[in-house]
Amino acid sequence: MSEHDATQEVVRLQGLRKSYNVGTPTEVEVLHGLDLRLQRRDFAALVGASGSGKSTLLNLIGLLDRPTAGELFLLGQPTRDMEDAGRTALRGSAIGFVFQFHHLIQAFTALENVLMPLMVAHGKPTEEHLERAHSLLGQVGLKGLEKRKPDQLSGGQQQRVAVARALVTRPALLLADEPTGNLDSKSAAEVFELFRKFNREFGCAVLLVTHDPRMSEQCDRTITLVDGHIESDTALDSNPASGR
Ligand code: ADP
Ligand code: MG
């Protein structure tokens, strides 16, 4: 963590709104003006009932979708009016994603899947990239399995490949949407531990959507969405200044 300022602002939302089906009879606003800050040190759970807007918010923060109003700053840069190419480049360099379903490429080995984000950004992998991917696969407990294809790995192992892939670019922010929802409790706990470890060691902010109270209770901060509003944002006593 030492190479980064733990209090560096990674995300800032200002009056962020999102409507779907804009300009049609079914137009509906699902996020109603959110304000939020995340710093590098943050390890935050995003919780709320189904339909409260968690995935919508993650997609906005991850630059996969654009807000209807308000602004989203990523590493200090306003993103709302950024052109697509700039958003794609910023997403690729600053953000790692882990979804409930890992979306690994079945035809690729574990190592090739982990290398993908670097190849998208830089083309043919360098020696340093290969070392980094190997090292990450080791850190997620998959040493020796680098050449396996996804269908030769367990569900928990596949999700660990997805975690390594999300971190290979050394992002400032890791977004995870119900990353353990599809795993047995032992694998889920292992994947959660990886997030903790990377937050601690790489200083990468983590925003984790989860339904599992056992998981949110182990986060430093819990942000609760109710019907598209932030109803509460609480820090654990051990990390009182967390984020805000
Ligand atoms: P969560 O992840 O908390 O379950 P979502 O962000 O998926 O919530 O959804 C929030 C609300 O937005 C829900 O009412 C959902 O039906 C609606 N919604 C999500 N995506 C779309 C879409 N593409 N078009 C229209 N409505 C959507
Ligand atoms: Mg969702």
Side-chain angles (χ1 to χ4, degrees):
M1 191 111 161
S2 53
E3 64 195 282
H4 304 292
D5 171 6
T7 64
Q8 182 190 10
E9 183 182 273
V10 177
V11 175
R12 178 192 291 259
L13 312 183
Q14 279 178 355
L16 198 78
R17 293 178 181 272
K18 177 65 185 177
S19 298
Y20 288 113
N21 306 328
V22 172
T24 77
T26 55
E27 177 167 340
V28 57
E29 187 177 88
V30 300
L31 295 178
H32 312 293
L34 306 188
D35 299 307
L36 182 73
R37 287 181 64 209
L38 291 176
Q39 301 174 337
R40 264 194 181 265
R41 64 180 171 184
D42 273 321
F43 191 90
L46 178 62
V47 303
S50 178
S52 58
K54 304 180 299 296
S55 294
T56 299
L57 178 57
L58 239 64
N59 290 341
L60 290 175
I61 295 176
L63 306 182
L64 295 170
D65 200 358
R66 287 184 193 260
T68 315
E71 185 54 282
L72 164 71
F73 296 88
L74 204 64
L75 294 169
Q77 300 181 56
T79 61
R80 188 170 165 223
D81 296 325
M82 210 181 250
E83 81 290 12
D84 285 344
R87 287 164 61 89
T88 301
L90 185 56
R91 183 193 312 126
S93 64
I95 305 174
F97 285 98
V98 182
F99 298 100
Q100 179 171 3
F101 301 99
H102 50 68
H103 303 300
L104 297 177
I105 298 174
Q106 296 297 327
F108 283 8
T109 65
L111 182 68
E112 290 163 346
N113 270 287
V114 173
L115 284 167
M116 265 304 286
L118 292 173
M119 293 175 70
V120 168
H122 307 289
K124 192 170 182 294
T126 63
E127 276 302 310
E128 194 272 325
H129 290 165
L130 281 165
E131 271 170 36
R132 209 194 289 182
H134 270 286
S135 156
L136 265 171
L137 280 167
Q139 286 179 275
V140 301
L142 296 177
K143 193 167 168 47
L145 304 183
E146 295 88 349
K147 291 197 172 139
R148 297 241 185 132
K149 302 254 173 84
D151 66 2
Q152 299 166 316
L153 296 168
S154 72
Q157 289 171 332
Q158 292 177 35
Q159 195 61 317
R160 282 187 265 155
V161 174
V163 172
R165 178 184 57 183
L167 291 164
V168 78
T169 58
R170 301 190 173 133
L173 174 65
L174 181 70
L175 297 174
D177 199 349
E178 304 190 36
T180 60
N182 201 29
L183 301 178
D184 62 78
S185 58
K186 180 164 175 283
S187 299
E190 286 168 3
V191 165
F192 182 85
E193 269 317 302
L194 291 175
F195 292 150
R196 277 245 76 124
K197 168 181 148 118
F198 288 115
N199 170 252
R200 229 173 14 240
E201 292 178 7
F202 293 177
C204 121
V206 173
L207 182 61
L208 173 78
V209 174
T210 179
H211 277 124
D212 185 347
R214 282 170 306 180
M215 233 151 250
S216 53
E217 280 162 11
Q218 293 178 63
C219 293
D220 298 334
R221 181 174 169 188
T222 302
I223 300 158
T224 305
L225 271 186
V226 176
D227 294 337
H229 295 279
I230 293 176
E231 192 203 51
S232 64
D233 184 354
T234 54
L236 274 192
D237 289 346
S238 59
N239 191 7
S242 178
R244 283 142 304 144

